[in-house]
């Protein structure tokens, strides 16, 4: 089992910046990927991810304005940084962990989500 706790900015002005953090606990040794997803209405999209080896990826729908990174001292804490935010970036941001189980299967764990609103 992995537990995820998100925290960070709630209200951001258009053109402003965003920084969210996600701390994983529990069976962290099984984590393969930590990432961020955004839900707006009934649509959930991948924003950015960080793999256990430090490799990063950014979702194609967010225009390269977001980056996920690991904490320098704790690779099970990941950050999401965004810049030049637009109202369409409004949504609930979820942290997700992808883990590998002893039998080789994969599992997904989700945080509780944090609301981000981009508005003046």
């Amino acid at each position: 089992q992995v537990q995820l706790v998100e925290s960070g900015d709630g209200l951001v002005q258009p053109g402003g910046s965003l920084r969210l953090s996600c701390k994983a606990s529990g069976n962290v040794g099984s984590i393969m990927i930590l990432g961020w997803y955004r839900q707006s209405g009934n649509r959930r999209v991948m924003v950015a991810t960080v793999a256990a080896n430090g490799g990063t990826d950014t979702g194609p729908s967010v225009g390269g304005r977001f980056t996920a990174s690991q904490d320098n001292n704790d690779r099970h804490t990941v950050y999401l940084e965004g810049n030049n935010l637009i109202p369409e970036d409004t949504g609930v941001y979820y942290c997700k962990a992808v883990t590998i189980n002893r039998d080789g299967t994969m599992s997904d764990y989700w945080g509780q989500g944090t609301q981000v609103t981009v508005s003046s």
Side-chain angles (χ1 to χ4, degrees):
Q1 294 280 340
V2 171
Q3 295 78 43
L4 303 168
V5 178
E6 305 114 329
S7 62
D9 311 283
L11 179 64
V12 181
Q13 292 196 343
S17 299
L18 168 76
R19 180 178 169 93
L20 303 177
S21 65
C22 171
K23 181 169 178 59
S25 61
N27 190 20
V28 295
S30 65
I31 295 175
M32 301 295 290
I33 298 173
L34 282 169
W36 291 94
Y37 289 72
R38 179 178 70 218
Q39 180 143 4
S40 304
N42 59 3
R43 182 169 178 248
R44 186 174 291 192
V45 300
M46 190 267 276
V47 180
T49 63
V50 180
N53 63 6
T56 61
D57 193 13
T58 301
S61 63
V62 299
R65 295 174 293 109
F66 290 85
T67 303
S69 62
Q70 293 173 320
D71 185 274
N72 289 333
N73 298 312
D74 176 13
R75 64 186 181 92
H76 301 120
T77 293
V78 295
Y79 302 105
L80 178 68
E81 294 179 295
N83 54 60
N84 295 323
L85 265 63
I86 59 178
E88 288 75 13
D89 293 321
T90 294
V92 180
Y93 284 71
Y94 291 93
C95 182
K96 173 186 173 182
V98 179
T99 65
I100 185 164
N101 305 312
R102 289 185 179 182
D103 61 2
T105 60
M106 311 286 278
S107 297
D108 293 345
Y109 295 90
W110 294 89
Q112 80 283 0
T114 185
Q115 174 71 43
V116 173
T117 301
V118 182
S119 174
S120 55

